[in-house]
Amino acid sequence: MTDLNETSINSVEAISYRYYNYVALIIILGILIIGKPRKKVDNKNRKLGQWTAEDYKPPSPAPYPNWDLNKTGPLPYRAFKHKYNITMGIRNMDWSSWFEIDNQWFKFHREKLNRLEKYDTSLYETTKEALPAAYELLEEMREYLPKRYPSMFESTEYGIHNKATDEDVNFMGKYRNFNPAKKTGVDPMKLAALLVQDDLAIMMESKDGQYILKGGAIILPGFWKFRDKFNMTLENIHTSGDVPKFKEKLQSGMEKFFVRLTCDKPVVRNNYFLQTDDQLGWSVSIGNEFKGKVGWGTADEATEIEKIHLRSERQSLRRLPKSGAIIFTVRTYFIPITEIVKEPFIPRRLLNGILSWEEDVQDYRGFTKFKDVLLPYLEEKALEQERLGFLPEEGPNVFPF
Ligand code: HEM
Ligand SMILES: *[C@@H]1O[C@H](CO)[C@@H](O)[C@H](O)[C@H]1NC(C)=O
Ligand SMILES: *[C@@H]1O[C@H](CO)[C@@H](O)[C@H](O)[C@H]1NC(C)=O
Ligand SMILES: *[C@@H]1O[C@H](CO)[C@@H](O)[C@H](O)[C@H]1NC(C)=O
């Protein structure tokens, strides 16, 4: 009897002992399979300048419908209104449209290569702080470009294959070799800028919540120089360029916007300028880019309408999930005025827009340097259209088109 009792006590203990073992095993397996229990990432309440990597993955872009590198023309942005009003002017961005590529890609690419050959590191830099963001940008481009433009890009083991140039653009694994201190290896921002038509900038948050230009490839800027703005805050970037009403109308909204921007809510904005020469990379008529001070103040007055171009930028802003850096893209659209006046309503709308500029906007945009040639020409073209019945403006005028 005693023996039996002892055995049954022992076997109860043995069973519960084995049971605990199973529970422990299941927990260990659970951790291995699902991952360690983690603190929830809460970047909303972050300490400024301290980003915690997020797992966010942007939605996969749809292939661009019927896209052909040799045929698909630039989107016809005509980003001016009858009345000019300075605002941030940001709109939500459709993820599919992060980078816009069209049949001017070769022209942009050649111009970028030419300028890189002449000016090289004046046009780009990746600092040590911006290095993870720069590689993250390239990896995001590797996800995006082959899906959006499958006839032009393919993702490969180490990066992207560019079918237009038959080049392998490698930046992963052993090719992740840029050393910002020694400047050895290949600068990732230069690689990124040679894939697309855009200029690219990396803005990083400081401990006091300022956004600072810490890296970029600004190769076709037209009117400003990367080196003049490098390592500057958003405030100094804009005030040093005398952006009209920056402090009164833009600064505080912009700074709040940058701090609050989340990974899933990219935005775009469009602007426009007039340029009095036909150079995409740098507006030579305002002066030599690398000699002395340049600006509208030093520009000659335009004499021929054929020289005047509409320069319009489509800019995007998104935050990268891992590094937390904000990527600023600038895609330029560059068209002779003599071309766009053929479009319905455009001469009158552009003329009205320019005539509504206040004095500070006139100064910033070089009004006096082209007004005598441009304004009578636009008036003539507008009247021609109005005699044909294009009045008042109707039809598609949904900003920015
Ligand atoms: C919400 C974001 C932003 C807004 C609302 C904004 C607004 C403006 C405005 C109104 C101008 C005058 C020309 C125009 O109409 O576009 C301007 C110029 C400029 N912006 Fe921004 N900007 C933003 C972000 C940035 C960023 C991230 C950079 C980083 C490089 C930047 C660099 C510049 C430069 C270099 C100029 C030309 C300044 C000059 O003429 O010297 N902007 N910006
Ligand atoms: C597109 O144009 C380029 C350069 O002009 C040419 O080399 C290429 O064969 C063309 N591709 C197609 C698909 O037509
Ligand atoms: C210009 O924009 C501001 C917002 O920044 C708005 O309050 C104002 O009404 C606008 N003015 C015109 C004429 O549209
Ligand atoms: C950028 O600015 C900071 C603070 O103003 C300065 O300490 C740093 O040396 C600058 N970096 C570069 C690369 O110029």
Side-chain angles (χ1 to χ4, degrees):
M1 290 301 268
T2 8
D3 277 348
L4 194 68
N5 264 345
E6 270 175 12
T7 330
S8 66
I9 288 166
N10 279 345
S11 61
V12 168
E13 274 177 357
I15 286 165
S16 56
Y17 179 66
R18 218 181 301 144
Y19 170 74
Y20 283 124
N21 260 343
Y22 277 123
V23 171
L25 191 68
I26 286 166
I27 290 172
I28 289 165
L29 279 178
I31 287 172
L32 286 177
I33 293 165
I34 299 165
K36 283 188 216 90
R38 259 184 292 213
K39 254 199 288 173
K40 212 171 162 292
V41 175
D42 181 16
N43 281 312
K44 235 183 208 158
N45 298 306
R46 70 185 179 275
K47 248 197 210 138
L48 291 172
Q50 294 187 12
W51 184 264
T52 310
E54 292 181 12
D55 281 332
Y56 181 76
K57 242 181 155 18
S60 193
Y64 195 112
N66 305 316
W67 188 81
D68 182 327
L69 177 61
N70 290 349
K71 296 200 185 109
T72 306
L75 290 177
Y77 289 122
R78 304 293 177 255
F80 34 83
K81 295 179 177 172
H82 288 275
K83 178 145 184 13
Y84 184 79
N85 191 14
I86 291 187
T87 60
M88 275 179 47
I90 52 176
R91 315 181 304 282
N92 292 333
M93 182 181 86
D94 174 353
W95 274 110
S96 288
S97 70
W98 187 26
F99 288 106
E100 292 178 345
I101 297 179
D102 53 52
N103 61 11
Q104 299 203 343
W105 186 89
F106 279 107
K107 172 187 152 118
F108 279 59
H109 191 67
R110 262 195 307 273
E111 178 81 1
K112 284 185 175 186
L113 290 174
N114 282 342
R115 286 175 51 79
L116 284 168
E117 195 171 318
K118 284 198 214 149
Y119 310 123
D120 198 34
T121 52
S122 309
L123 306 178
Y124 64 90
E125 175 158 350
T126 304
T127 55
K128 183 165 172 270
E129 297 149 279
L131 189 62
Y135 281 118
E136 186 181 4
L137 168 64
L138 277 167
E139 285 171 20
E140 293 275 308
M141 291 171 86
R142 178 171 172 267
E143 292 295 315
Y144 174 90
L145 293 171
K147 293 197 180 104
R148 183 65 169 164
Y149 305 103
S151 57
M152 178 164 179
F153 299 106
E154 242 165 19
S155 75
T156 61
E157 185 180 1
Y158 290 111
I160 301 175
H161 181 72
N162 181 343
K163 299 187 211 173
T165 56
D166 197 21
E167 278 174 301
D168 276 317
V169 182
N170 293 328
F171 45 80
M172 293 162 80
K174 63 185 173 186
Y175 295 101
R176 199 165 168 151
N177 60 8
F178 184 63
N179 180 327
K182 297 187 184 140
K183 300 278 193 295
T184 54
V186 185
D187 188 303
M189 290 310 287
K190 177 175 154 181
L191 284 185
L194 287 173
L195 288 166
V196 290
Q197 285 162 259
D198 304 56
D199 283 339
L200 304 165
I202 298 177
M203 304 299 293
M204 297 191 57
E205 192 178 85
S206 68
K207 282 199 213 57
D208 44 6
Q210 297 289 316
Y211 274 77
I212 303 177
L213 179 60
K214 285 292 179 184
I218 304 290
I219 308 179
L220 308 172
F223 291 103
W224 62 284
K225 294 184 269 180
F226 178 60
R227 288 293 151 193
D228 287 351
K229 310 287 185 181
F230 175 67
N231 206 26
M232 274 189 181
T233 59
L234 273 178
E235 174 181 1
N236 291 336
I237 287 171
H238 291 93
T239 55
S240 64
D242 293 322
V243 171
K245 300 196 178 59
F246 178 75
K247 286 193 179 266
E248 305 89 296
K249 287 198 149 188
L250 297 174
Q251 184 174 0
S252 81
M254 253 170 85
E255 288 177 350
K256 279 191 202 114
F257 169 82
F258 270 73
V259 169
R260 291 176 190 164
L261 179 63
T262 54
C263 300
D264 59 337
K265 292 275 189 309
V267 298
V268 284
R269 67 184 292 270
N270 293 67
N271 65 16
Y272 72 99
F273 306 89
L274 282 310
Q275 186 174 323
T276 54
D277 57 76
D278 59 4
Q279 298 298 301
L280 171 65
W282 179 257
S283 170
V284 289
S285 57
I286 66 163
N288 184 316
E289 174 175 15
F290 295 106
K291 277 193 198 135
K293 208 173 144 48
V294 290
W296 284 110
T298 54
D300 292 329
E301 271 182 45
T303 52
E304 300 161 79
I305 191 68
E306 286 73 22
K307 281 283 168 66
I308 303 183
H309 282 62
L310 176 75
R311 184 181 188 98
S312 185
E313 297 168 346
R314 183 234 186 217
Q315 308 172 337
S316 83
L317 287 162
R318 64 167 288 198
R319 193 189 294 280
L320 297 176
K322 302 226 156 42
S323 60
I326 291 182
I327 299 296
F328 180 55
T329 68
V330 184
R331 166 66 210 275
T332 295
Y333 293 80
F334 193 57
I335 319 135
I337 287 295
T338 51
E339 286 296 315
I340 63 166
V341 293
K342 296 173 188 161
E343 299 170 11
F345 308 112
I346 291 301
R348 179 64 72 202
R349 188 176 355 136
L350 180 57
L351 181 60
N352 285 347
I354 294 172
L355 289 172
S356 76
W357 292 352
E358 287 175 38
E359 208 177 312
D360 52 358
V361 178
Q362 289 187 356
D363 292 345
Y364 181 70
R365 287 169 198 259
F367 179 75
T368 58
K369 306 294 180 173
F370 49 73
K371 69 171 180 14
D372 291 344
V373 176
L374 182 62
L375 302 189
Y377 179 78
L378 290 176
E379 177 65 31
E380 180 196 318
K381 293 292 165 184
L383 285 174
E384 264 174 33
Q385 287 193 358
E386 283 154 10
R387 277 193 294 271
L388 294 170
F390 292 107
L391 177 81
E393 180 165 37
E394 52 194 40
N397 170 18
V398 185
F399 190 83
F401 292 100

